[in-house]
Structure formats: C-alpha cells, structure tokens
Amino acid sequence: EHDLKQPFIQQWHVNLERELPLGLVGEAGYIGSKGSNLPFYGDPNSVPAEYTSDGTMRIVPGATLRYPSWGRIRTRTNVARSIYHGLVLGLNRRFDDGLMLQGSYTYGNSRDTWSGGQLGDSDFDNGTGNATDWWDPEYEFGPSNFDVRHNLVLNGVYQLPWGRNLSGAAGALASGWNVGGVAQFSSGIPFTPYVGYDRAGDLMSDTLQQKPNVNGAVVYPRTAEQWFDPASFSLPAV
C-alpha cells in the first residue's frame, strides 16, 4: 500500500530500589510499551462480513467477493497496534563471603492485533500468517503470539573455599575456583485454534484463519493425551 504511516514504539518505566538487611537489595518496577502503525497482513478479497446484534461476526447474506475477477490479493499495511504491561520484581545479594545471588520475576502481558507474519506465513507456530478479516484489524486483538505471562530467573555464584591457605603451585591450582548456575522458569505461550476449511464462506484463498467459538471457560485436563479439552470449542454457524 502506498503512503504508509511510519511505525513507532512508545516506552515508559518506573523503578524503585531499596537496601535490605543481610546484604540484600530489593527492586520493584513497572515497564510499559505501546506500538502504533505496525505491519498488518491479509487478503482484502473476501466476502464482506458484519456483526450481528449479539456481537458475533457473520458473512453478509447474499454477498459475493469484493473483486470477483481477482484471486488472492496479498496486501500489507501499517494499521496494527500493540500494548505491553510488565511488573518486575528483583532481589540481589551482593558478593559477600564468597557468595552472590540474584533473582528476578516478571509478570507481563503483551496484546496486539498482529504478531508478525508479513508474507503470508506466521513468525510463530501458534499463529497464522493471514488475518481472519483484513477489513477488521481489531478482530485480531488478543494475547500476542509471544506473550509469556510469568518468567522467573535465578542465578548465583559461590567462591569455593578450597586452597585459600595454600601457596605456590598448590595454591595456584586449588584456589580461585567458582561454582555458578542459572535457572529459568517460564509459563507457556498462547495457542490459537483454527477451523481447517472455509466454514464461514468468505471464499478467501487461505482457509486456515477462521476461528471456532469458545463455549465458556476452556477446560485444561493437562495430560499428555489431552492438554486442553476440544469440547471447549464449537464450530460457528455457517
């Protein structure tokens, strides 16, 4: 599309630190960002859709393709947006008596109308490369494909006490050794269910971007055979 608007990101943060007993330093902060005029990809050559009185979307009865003599029209424009809020908590123990410890926890929430995929394929395995309705970018608004809600990182270094009183070659070999480690614990990324055929009848060439209905809260058995219950979803009306 010609005359595209320039994408831009706005960021803001606030951070507080306080020295605590036992050589500890506590930290609490907030991080926010907002993306505007971000890339958005889809096919505008579809049957027009409309919202019904109950808020659901349907194909306009009796309508046909907007451009019947054309096939797929790959189109990218800059109309997507994103928003992120994050709470950051940290606890550090400065290097003292041979020991240093750090811990950081982030509770974040990233939402957008597009998480990438600018050439018809997605940048992430949990999303599709085409918008459900190119004419309605806000219909795509939800958790980002890369949204990780919880993230905990722990690390530490311990200076081994061996050989501190030795000298010469023995001291050079036995002293000065450190043991360190890093552990990270993160929650998973979102998933998006799709209907594998043109259930709505929008006649788009790409048929993997239509979404099912959600029947109340999604049930998660969290077993290897069934991580989520497929019965939580149902096909929308034709």
Side-chain angles (χ1 to χ4, degrees), residues 10-229:
Q10 297 169 287
Q11 296 179 327
W12 55 92
H13 70 275
V14 61
N15 195 64
L16 300 174
E17 288 187 357
R18 182 175 179 84
E19 190 168 356
L20 304 172
L22 303 178
L24 299 175
V25 176
E27 179 182 358
Y30 163 75
I31 301 174
S33 69
K34 177 184 178 183
S36 303
N37 302 336
L38 304 179
F40 185 79
Y41 180 87
D43 183 357
N45 194 18
S46 60
V47 178
E50 64 182 4
Y51 286 94
T52 61
S53 58
D54 62 0
T56 59
M57 182 185 288
R58 70 172 183 178
I59 297 300
V60 175
T64 61
L65 283 175
R66 289 179 169 87
Y67 314 106
S69 60
W70 290 76
R72 175 187 293 173
I73 305 176
R74 296 182 180 273
T75 307
R76 184 173 66 225
T77 185
N78 288 17
V79 296
R81 65 183 179 92
S82 67
I83 187 72
Y84 172 80
H85 300 285
L87 170 67
V88 180
L89 301 175
L91 188 63
N92 300 328
R93 184 184 190 274
R94 296 170 180 170
F95 197 82
D96 183 45
D97 197 22
L99 178 64
M100 185 272 289
L101 296 172
Q102 290 183 325
S104 177
Y105 168 74
T106 302
Y107 176 74
N109 184 12
S110 179
R111 300 173 68 83
D112 59 36
T113 52
W114 201 244
S115 293
Q118 302 181 38
L119 296 174
D121 57 353
S122 177
D123 294 338
F124 304 91
D125 292 336
N126 59 337
T128 184
N130 261 30
T132 301
D133 184 359
W134 186 86
W135 299 88
D136 188 3
E138 286 301 309
Y139 186 74
E140 301 290 334
F141 187 72
S144 303
N145 290 346
F146 48 84
D147 179 44
V148 176
R149 198 59 50 89
H150 303 277
N151 187 47
L152 174 65
V153 180
L154 304 172
N155 66 81
V157 176
Y158 177 61
Q159 189 176 52
L160 298 175
W162 305 332
R164 292 180 179 178
N165 298 324
L166 298 178
S167 58
L173 292 174
S175 62
W177 292 90
N178 298 325
V179 174
V182 178
Q184 180 173 355
F185 306 89
S186 301
S187 57
I189 57 178
F191 75 94
T192 304
Y194 293 99
V195 179
Y197 61 99
D198 189 6
R199 173 73 173 181
D202 62 11
L203 303 182
M204 283 181 56
S205 54
D206 294 320
T207 58
L208 296 178
Q209 75 278 10
Q210 296 176 16
K211 304 177 181 69
N213 292 334
V214 181
N215 308 324
V218 179
V219 177
Y220 293 90
R222 300 183 186 278
T223 65
E225 294 76 20
Q226 191 179 82
W227 185 254
F228 67 91
D229 185 3

